[in-house]
Amino acid sequence: MALLIETGLSDWISDNDIADGIRKLHPDADVRTPDNLGDPADITMLAVVDLQDDHPNRLPNLKLVQKLGAGVETIVSNPNLPEHARIARLKPDAPAQGIAEWFVAYVLRHQRHMPFHEAAQTRAEWSPKAPIYSPDTKVGVLGLGHIGARSAKMLRAVGFEVMGWSRSPKQIDGVTCLHGDAALPELLGQCDHICAILPSTPQTVGLFDARMLAAMKPGSQLLNAGRGDLIDEAALIAALDAGTPGHAVLDVTSTEPLPQDSPLWAHPGVTITPHVSGWHLGDALADVGENFRRLSTGAPLLHEVDKARGY
Ligand code: NDP
């Protein structure tokens, strides 16, 4: 039984750094990296950012794919993943805190007219403009899971009126929680900012089409930190041109990196951040090592994904 770390990413964190971190926490664990793979038949657990199409075929005894992050859509939909293979994700505090901060930052950017004041300064121009009063501002959070619930609470603590939306009913102090497809247009029509932190599933892909964008409050702001495929980007550009919504802040796009010729880059109603809202993994490596131990002993896994539900 061995754990293989294969992220394929060198600009974030190296496979060897992750492997060393896990070995420190679990000195007896057999942790390998692609440059020290040994017999592929030993590998029972694979830790990845994205599962490659050929991974399952290369690793005949794979039992668990551990996502080094939260979004598991490319793993769930991998046609080569055997039926018996399980999937787990991470639920660390650090990215949840980071994404909640990202939502707060870009809502406040609008409330405090930051682009307006920065532009006025370049002209040495003293131009007072009343900030938008927080208690008069309604913010909707789509997805009330690990990250969304934390975001809703942080936005509430700043002083906004907060509504939330999920698949199943939720209760969060101070937050008006709605659920189910029928409730979404009602929420969209009331909110000045919509903060989307939904997983990519067959139900959420393309959810923000022309009809749903038109259901938003005129001039409102759409912020997306979940997955880019939530939004039909051509429909978004047409909707921004029509003024509903008034602005979009996108940390995720349907193709990443966003191609240089994408019209989103230059659109005056779009702000792009390059998938940085939930950067830090925090103490999540401990859960990867712990899941390897649990897989080896048959104990219930941490944060196992419901493959049928897709998240
Ligand atoms: P969770 O699984 O904890 O929460 C998902 C939430 O979405 C749940 O509240 C769920 O409802 C809701 N949901 C799912 N499908 C629907 C639907 N069809 N209609 C209404 N609500 C729905 O995930 P996380 O909060 O940890 O993460 C969410 C997503 O954020 C990840 O899947 C990932 O894609 C993305 N992400 C992006 C990052 C970045 O850096 N930009 C970093 C980390 C994650 P219910 O509770 O009822 O099941």
Side-chain angles (χ1 to χ4, degrees), residues 69-73 89-91 95 99 142-149 165-170 180-181 197-201 203-204 207 224-227 251-252 275-279 309 311:
V72 291
E73 65 279 4
R89 53 162 291 186
L90 297 176
K91 285 199 178 182
I99 291 170
L142 310 188
L144 293 173
H146 176 59
I147 303 169
W165 182 72
S166 53
R167 218 169 48 105
S168 56
K170 297 275 182 282
D181 294 348
I197 183 70
L198 289 161
S200 172
T201 70
Q203 289 72 41
T204 62
L207 182 65
N224 187 20
R227 282 293 180 264
D251 188 52
V252 287
H275 207 138
V276 291
S277 59
W279 187 269
R309 204 179 57 167
Y311 66 98

Side-chain angles (χ1 to χ4, degrees), residues 5 17 42 47 54 73 78 83-84 98 147 173 186 210 213 238 261 266 275 295 303:
I5 311 290
D17 286 348
D42 295 342
D54 65 338
E73 65 279 4
N78 188 303
E83 196 73 15
H84 67 265
I147 303 169
D173 270 358
E186 176 195 336
L213 291 162
D261 60 358
H275 207 138
L295 181 71
H303 318 309

Side-chain angles (χ1 to χ4, degrees), residues 103-117:
F103 284 133
V104 168
Y106 282 94
V107 170
L108 288 176
R109 173 181 182 268
H110 176 86
Q111 299 286 107
R112 308 301 307 204
H113 309 303
M114 289 181 191
F116 171 86
H117 291 303

